Amino acid sequence: KFFGVQSDPLLEEVAALTPGANCGGCGYAGCAAYADAMVSGEAKPGLCPAMSEDNVKKISALLGVTSEVRVRKVAVICCRGDDDMATRQAFYNGINNCRDAMQVAAGAKTCTYGCLGLGACARACPYGAIEITSKRLAVVHPELCVGCGKCVQTCPKKLIKLVPASAPLHVLCSSPEKGVTKRKACKAACIGCQKCVKAAGEGQIRMNGFLAVINYGDPPSAEIASSCPTGALSASIAGTEQSGPENEVINA
């Protein structure tokens, strides 16, 4: 009795409706911390990317509040530079970790902005939504991704970003270099030709130096992907075609 702690039945009910993933996508340290913030009125239901709509409604009813409007987001690897597309300046034979490999001349690829393909993002993902292809490129499976952002925080190259799941197109390149330099390093690089800008509607794609940038608030249609001569503008969120004999996907 002396050491007993009085529990809060409402907090227990709310905590039971959280997914228990402790991914931090809500902005809190874990599901328990987010449940406590909701009960105290500090946070609203709907911030958790992994929580079902049904549970959001149940928590809102329990607390007598409205939930945050949620736009489902998924991760995109902004690189298509696998072993077929990107050239290499060296072969890395060290610790199998992106951050460690980056310390050695920014990685083995000639493009120092490209995906290292060593799986730091895949290991960080609590939902198993990222894998590494046999051609050393990170691939997102959007049907598994909940947009928690763990991979975004983990990637030392800052190649990963969260975008609306409904977005039809993505620029799968992150290099700010001039087109001629990028072309020598990777056949799939955005070369800054601006053909996509001309093919898209006004304000749908802009140029940031020599790199095209999608306006996700007003995205262009998937059809204009054909205007890109290198394939850097892609309707595939993973940046690769479906897995097959030539593009086997392996666990990180």
Side-chain angles (χ1 to χ4, degrees), residues 21-244:
N22 296 315
C23 64
C26 59
Y28 291 87
C31 291
Y34 179 43
D36 186 61
M38 284 190 285
V39 171
S40 66
E42 180 186 326
K44 284 190 175 183
L47 295 178
C48 173
M51 191 183 295
S52 69
E53 289 291 343
D54 188 44
N55 281 2
V56 170
K57 290 177 182 177
K58 288 179 180 178
I59 292 175
S60 298
L62 282 170
L63 301 177
V65 297
T66 56
S67 62
E68 290 287 331
V69 177
R70 298 198 299 176
V71 175
R72 182 173 178 257
K73 291 189 175 184
V74 293
V76 170
I77 313 290
C78 296
C79 179
R80 286 191 66 233
D82 61 15
D83 285 347
D84 286 343
M85 297 293 181
T87 60
R88 288 182 171 268
Q89 61 178 340
F91 286 91
Y92 177 70
N93 191 28
I95 299 172
N96 191 38
N97 183 279
C98 299
R99 195 167 296 279
D100 291 299
M102 188 175 167
Q103 303 306 312
V104 185
K109 289 182 178 177
T110 305
C111 175
T112 56
Y113 301 92
C115 174
L116 296 170
L118 296 178
C121 54
R123 287 187 287 272
C125 180
Y127 301 97
I130 302 179
E131 291 182 292
I132 306 300
T133 69
S134 57
K135 296 176 183 178
R136 287 178 283 198
L137 183 70
V139 169
V140 174
H141 296 284
E143 72 278 6
L144 299 177
C145 179
V146 302
C148 69
K150 284 270 189 178
C151 56
V152 177
Q153 301 166 17
T154 301
C155 178
K157 297 278 188 176
K158 305 302 179 187
L159 288 174
I160 310 175
K161 59 184 178 182
L162 296 179
V163 301
S166 59
L169 278 178
H170 311 281
V171 177
L172 302 180
C173 179
S174 297
S175 174
E177 301 285 353
K178 291 183 178 179
V180 63
T181 302
K182 287 190 275 190
R183 193 64 166 158
K184 290 177 181 177
C186 180
K187 291 185 286 187
C190 170
I191 56 176
C193 65
Q194 301 191 39
K195 288 183 178 180
C196 58
V197 178
K198 296 171 185 175
E202 185 177 354
Q204 292 183 324
I205 301 180
R206 64 178 177 85
M207 296 302 298
N208 181 15
F210 300 99
L211 187 65
V213 178
I214 298 284
N215 175 8
Y216 285 109
D218 179 24
S221 63
E223 286 73 24
I224 74 160
S226 59
S227 67
C228 180
T230 64
L233 185 66
S234 176
S236 169
I237 201 165
T240 59
E241 300 300 324
Q242 286 188 328
S243 301

